[in-house]
Amino acid sequence: MPLILTEEQTMLKEAADGFLSENAPIAHLRKLRDERDPDGVSRDLWRQFGEMGFAGVIIPEDHGGSGLGPVEAGVLAEALGRTLTPSPFMGSGVLSAKVLVEAGSDAQKSAWLPRIAAGEAILSLAVDEGAKHRPDAIATTAERSGNGFRLNGAKGFVLDGHVADALIVAASTEEGLTLFLVDPKTAGVEIERTVMVDAHNAARVVLTDVQVDADAVIGSVGGGKPALDAALDLGRACTAAMLNGAGDQAFQITLDYLRTRKQFGKLIGEFQALQHRAAHLYTEIELARAAVIGALQRLEAGKDPKGLAVSVAKAKAGKVAELAVQEAVQMHGGVGMTDEFDVGLFMKRVRVLNEFGGDAAFHQEKVARAQGY
């Protein structure tokens, strides 16, 4: 399959870029940050996502969604990367929606998917527990208690967990990994908002003897790994797309600066050394974009069961976006590190996105082990 967008996907990209440029530019992030907004996200904007069909991009039409696939989700993610928009899209529209689509009961799907698609509800997936992404080492436990389970443990890096209407918690049971739908208002649930370095939001969640009924289980007891893996692979691919968007936008900002900034009576874009660096970065961005589109297409076709194409895309996009923001700051000179210039915000965002869903080292090791190294 060609590593380019179809006509319909290109139209979606143009619609998303136009909508976000008008309604949620970088100034939107700055406003939420500078006014110390207690939520750090705009629920009104999330509802607009629902009206545009963005929030429910992967949700089936019979549950109020757009019924589209991973490539379209990646298109929206890349647009969000360009504008640095704080949005529940990743936590709700991608990760949580994918878990429910894959393994939710009819009651769970009916209760939550239409609300996510409409931008009326925010859900958060709680997986990570330590300093690094390790979904294969879940220490949170769920023990049988009465007609349900008792949960104990702690989670970190829970996207928008402080404003979540429900949490999807990964926990270990005697039967294996199990996913639970937890009301954040349940006794024993403590949530602390953590404003990240890029002014986006996550949360720490502590579960102390949290009692949930058996109908809180998503899928089967001990059978949560397939749904979690599917959600994480989609989330990683979309995160790679966000990295592409952030890296490419930092590059575009830098090109504009090279065309306008003068030094020694000449535009700095006329200096051959900077031209070579810009040309190299352009080729790297295009390679990363091809890797991400390829991974999203393989997910849509069901041809990446182990997520190896996704790992290649996440590692490549992360490395390239890191190069892009470093070059952006370098080519802007000292002013690149000031808050007045947006390139510093892109550098911070790329740093966070590189950690989410596993950094380059995590994915390089995953590919190496799959190939017998």
Side-chain angles (χ1 to χ4, degrees), residues 192-214:
E192 176 190 1
R193 177 188 179 188
T194 55
V195 180
M196 296 184 288
V197 67
D198 63 344
H200 287 64
N201 301 282
R204 295 187 184 95
V205 178
V206 177
L207 307 164
T208 305
D209 292 331
V210 176
Q211 191 72 33
V212 296
D213 294 332

Side-chain angles (χ1 to χ4, degrees), residues 227-261:
L228 180 61
D229 286 347
L232 289 178
D233 280 342
L234 179 59
R236 291 162 179 159
C238 287
T239 302
M242 277 191 183
L243 283 162
N244 277 350
D248 188 42
Q249 187 62 27
F251 178 54
Q252 297 303 321
I253 292 172
T254 303
L255 288 180
D256 289 341
Y257 189 74
L258 295 180
R259 296 184 185 110
T260 55
R261 170 67 172 170

Side-chain angles (χ1 to χ4, degrees), residues 106-171:
D106 289 341
Q108 291 166 344
K109 290 178 179 178
S110 297
W112 291 108
L113 290 180
R115 295 182 63 196
I116 294 174
E120 296 174 354
I122 296 174
L123 271 68
S124 297
L125 179 63
V127 178
D128 289 335
E129 298 178 350
K132 288 289 185 178
H133 180 63
R134 288 196 61 191
D136 59 336
I138 301 295
T140 298
T141 60
E143 300 176 343
R144 292 190 180 274
S145 174
N147 68 339
F149 293 84
R150 185 171 61 248
L151 277 60
N152 284 281
K155 300 289 185 180
F157 215 161
V158 182
L159 298 182
D160 300 306
H162 64 298
V163 291
D165 299 296
L167 301 169
I168 296 177
V169 178

Side-chain angles (χ1 to χ4, degrees), residues 55 148 342:
D342 291 339

Side-chain angles (χ1 to χ4, degrees), residues 63-358:
H63 286 292
S66 300
L68 301 175
V71 177
E72 288 79 10
V75 166
L76 296 176
E78 182 172 342
L80 287 165
R82 290 185 183 280
T83 55
L84 306 181
T85 306
S87 169
F89 177 75
M90 181 63 72
S92 292
V94 176
L95 295 170
S96 297
K98 184 63 173 176
V99 167
L100 291 173
V101 168
E102 290 289 321
S105 66
D106 289 341
Q108 291 166 344
K109 290 178 179 178
S110 297
W112 291 108
L113 290 180
R115 295 182 63 196
I116 294 174
E120 296 174 354
I122 296 174
L123 271 68
S124 297
L125 179 63
V127 178
D128 289 335
E129 298 178 350
K132 288 289 185 178
H133 180 63
R134 288 196 61 191
D136 59 336
I138 301 295
T140 298
T141 60
E143 300 176 343
R144 292 190 180 274
S145 174
N147 68 339
F149 293 84
R150 185 171 61 248
L151 277 60
N152 284 281
K155 300 289 185 180
F157 215 161
V158 182
L159 298 182
D160 300 306
H162 64 298
V163 291
D165 299 296
L167 301 169
I168 296 177
V169 178
S172 297
T173 62
E174 291 182 356
E175 295 84 353
L177 181 69
T178 306
L179 301 174
F180 295 89
L181 194 58
V182 178
D183 185 339
K185 296 178 182 178
T186 304
V189 178
E190 296 181 17
I191 300 177
E192 176 190 1
R193 177 188 179 188
T194 55
V195 180
M196 296 184 288
V197 67
D198 63 344
H200 287 64
N201 301 282
R204 295 187 184 95
V205 178
V206 177
L207 307 164
T208 305
D209 292 331
V210 176
Q211 191 72 33
V212 296
D213 294 332
D215 59 8
V217 174
I218 300 175
S220 62
V221 177
K225 192 174 187 307
L228 180 61
D229 286 347
L232 289 178
D233 280 342
L234 179 59
R236 291 162 179 159
C238 287
T239 302
M242 277 191 183
L243 283 162
N244 277 350
D248 188 42
Q249 187 62 27
F251 178 54
Q252 297 303 321
I253 292 172
T254 303
L255 288 180
D256 289 341
Y257 189 74
L258 295 180
R259 296 184 185 110
T260 55
R261 170 67 172 170
K262 284 189 175 182
Q263 200 170 48
F264 308 115
K266 296 180 64 176
L267 294 172
I268 61 174
E270 295 179 30
F271 297 134
Q272 193 174 58
L274 295 185
Q275 291 175 356
H276 287 171
R277 289 165 67 176
H280 172 246
L281 183 54
Y282 173 80
T283 60
E284 288 294 304
I285 289 172
E286 290 303 307
L287 287 171
R289 179 174 287 113
V292 172
I293 292 178
L296 290 164
Q297 289 174 345
R298 289 183 69 82
L299 284 180
E300 190 157 346
K303 295 181 179 179
D304 193 29
K306 295 183 179 180
L308 298 185
V310 168
S311 287
V312 170
K314 179 67 163 62
K316 180 64 177 177
K319 288 289 189 181
V320 171
E322 186 174 3
L323 174 64
V325 294
Q326 288 174 348
E327 288 287 70
V329 170
Q330 287 287 321
M331 293 187 197
H332 275 77
V335 297
M337 291 303 297
T338 65
D339 189 64
E340 179 183 353
F341 282 75
D342 291 339
V343 291
L345 298 177
F346 282 95
M347 175 173 275
K348 294 172 183 177
R349 183 60 176 155
V350 166
R351 186 70 186 91
V352 171
L353 290 174
N354 265 333
E355 289 297 324
F356 184 72

